[in-house]
Amino acid sequence: MGRNILIVESKNDKHFFQAIIRKLNIDIEITTPIRISDEDYREMDGLNHQKLKAALGNLKASIQKGEIEKVGVIIDIDNCREEDRIKFVNECIQEVFSNSEFLIKVNEFINLNFEDFNIQLACYFTNLDGQGELETVLKAIKKEESIHADCLESWKNCLVSNGKTIKDKDFDKFWVDIYVRFDTCSNNDKKQAGRKCSMRAFDYVMENKVEIWDLEHPTLDNLNQFLGLFN
């Protein structure tokens, strides 16, 4: 039986989804575990047609060897409509696998055809209430007290009162960075904050301090449902 492959948008997406997958493996270990292992990622550094097409195209050799059974694509929804994101993914799929079916909705497989091989593909868009990206979700599922990060709201209001603005996307990134750096950094870790309390070290955070996030939060229900397709 072939592997399941997950295509993600960035390194931090990868580290976050790995933590979710590790958790789900514990939950479903009695039955068939999800087979998306740490080495089975194809990372995209940012999002555009060329990079997603390249990530899909890189799967062809493995498909020809019968090594892949299912493929998942997870990208941020940002400020797009879901149907526009689906159209984006469909355009990339059709340019790489021209005889494949079209995605109609998230969390549902289509058949992806290549030569004499057939695999399944489904997509999911990282979001909170239909908008946002990874940091939007992280802000919603924070588990610890967040005094330092929450005080950024006063800073944001100060900007507005002085005729300045900050995009929600940038604010959420800043909020999460402060939460990781100041609200959840232990005294010992502060001695090596750059390696242990930084979004640049998000791999360390998700492997060693995953408890700062509520992985049982309802915000993650649809993501868990998507990953459950690979069970």
Side-chain angles (χ1 to χ4, degrees):
M1 183 176 292
R3 296 175 297 159
N4 298 317
I5 300 294
L6 185 62
I7 295 174
V8 299
E9 192 172 337
S10 72
K11 289 182 178 179
N12 283 352
D13 289 315
K14 170 182 173 178
H15 300 317
F16 177 70
F17 295 129
Q18 281 177 331
I20 299 293
I21 290 166
R22 285 194 294 267
K23 175 181 178 298
L24 292 178
N25 273 334
I26 295 173
D27 291 340
I28 65 173
E29 193 170 289
I30 296 176
T31 59
T32 304
I34 293 176
R35 298 189 63 214
I36 308 177
S37 64
D38 287 358
E39 66 270 15
D40 282 341
Y41 283 89
R42 301 291 190 270
E43 290 179 45
M44 294 179 295
D45 183 18
L47 182 63
N48 62 44
H49 282 81
Q50 293 303 319
K51 290 178 180 178
L52 179 53
K53 286 190 294 184
L56 290 168
N58 288 340
L59 301 178
K60 284 186 173 180
S62 295
I63 293 173
Q64 287 175 317
K65 296 176 183 177
E67 296 176 349
I68 295 177
E69 181 180 3
K70 297 176 182 177
V71 175
V73 176
I74 300 182
I75 59 178
D76 298 333
I77 199 165
D78 292 322
N79 294 318
C80 298
R81 298 182 305 168
E82 184 173 291
E83 50 264 43
D84 292 333
R85 271 295 189 245
I86 290 175
K87 179 182 177 183
F88 169 87
V89 177
N90 274 328
E91 288 172 350
C92 295
I93 292 172
Q94 292 302 315
E95 289 200 38
V96 180
F97 303 101
S98 57
N99 295 320
S100 297
E101 298 175 351
F102 284 85
L103 290 164
I104 303 299
K105 58 183 179 180
V106 298
N107 289 16
E108 186 173 280
F109 281 120
I110 61 168
N111 290 315
L112 191 155
N113 301 307
F114 175 57
E115 296 181 351
D116 294 328
F117 298 91
N118 180 278
I119 64 173
Q120 292 184 299
L121 182 145
C123 69
Y124 175 80
F125 307 129
T126 304
N127 75 95
L128 175 67
D129 298 328
Q131 289 191 324
E133 56 182 350
L134 175 63
E135 285 79 7
T136 316
V137 172
L138 290 175
K139 185 171 181 283
I141 67 169
K142 68 93 180 180
K143 196 172 183 179
E144 304 297 325
E145 191 174 55
S146 54
I147 294 174
H148 291 84
D150 289 340
C151 282
L152 290 174
E153 288 289 346
S154 297
W155 169 76
K156 183 179 180 181
N157 292 334
C158 179
L159 289 178
V160 173
S161 66
N162 285 277
K164 304 292 184 180
T165 60
I166 182 171
K167 295 179 181 178
D168 289 342
K169 179 175 183 175
D170 294 330
F171 180 80
D172 288 346
K173 287 181 181 294
F174 194 18
W175 191 100
V176 171
D177 194 46
I178 296 299
Y179 175 69
V180 171
R181 174 63 181 85
F182 293 101
D183 287 309
T184 61
C185 193
S186 68
N187 288 331
N188 284 334
D189 284 351
K190 286 178 181 177
K191 299 174 184 177
Q192 302 179 68
R195 292 200 308 110
K196 298 183 177 181
C197 302
S198 167
M199 289 302 287
R200 291 184 179 180
F202 197 54
D203 54 340
Y204 178 89
V205 173
M206 294 310 297
E207 289 176 10
N208 298 279
K209 302 194 295 183
V210 69
E211 68 277 0
I212 70 175
W213 315 109
D214 180 7
L215 299 188
E216 300 287 344
H217 198 283
T219 294
L220 302 178
D221 286 350
N222 287 337
L223 171 61
N224 290 335
Q225 180 184 350
F226 171 77
L227 293 173
L229 296 174
F230 297 84
N231 185 1

